[in-house]
Amino acid sequence: MDQNERDQQYWKANLSLVRNCMIVWAVVTFGFSILFRPLLSGIQFGGTDLGFWFAQQGSIIVFLLLIFFYAWRMNALDREFGVEE
């Protein structure tokens, strides 16, 4: 496999990772806290309903977890493709 193919595979893996993280972020931020909030209103979590919790705290926590997951996964991809720092 030549360098150009490896670069393309690395970029494809990177874009796939970003896309998947963005999908999770969108589902949690817009889905749970806005679109599905009426469905989650009957579930109590942290002293309030789950939809409100996601809107106020849950989406922020998930976003922070996604940042750490992205960094961990990119480090693994860098090692896999031999471009680590």
Side-chain angles (χ1 to χ4, degrees):
M1 179 181 325
D2 68 339
Q3 185 64 32
N4 191 27
E5 286 180 34
R6 286 188 58 79
D7 290 346
Q8 288 178 351
Q9 286 181 347
Y10 176 75
W11 186 242
K12 184 177 178 181
N14 184 9
L15 289 179
S16 176
L17 177 61
V18 170
R19 182 195 65 231
N20 293 339
C21 287
M22 293 296 286
I23 289 171
V24 169
W25 172 79
V27 167
V28 170
T29 301
F30 295 113
F32 291 166
S33 61
I34 297 172
L35 300 176
F36 303 130
R37 182 155 188 247
L39 299 173
L40 299 173
S41 64
I43 303 170
Q44 292 295 314
F45 185 80
T48 187
D49 69 272
L50 189 59
F52 181 77
W53 184 84
F54 268 111
Q56 298 301 313
Q57 296 173 352
S59 58
I60 296 169
I61 292 170
V62 170
F63 182 70
L64 290 173
L65 291 173
L66 281 172
I67 291 171
F68 288 108
F69 172 76
Y70 177 79
W72 170 76
R73 188 64 188 116
M74 278 307 298
N75 284 334
L77 276 176
D78 288 349
R79 282 190 300 276
E80 180 182 333
F81 286 92
V83 294
E84 69 267 74
E85 294 177 354

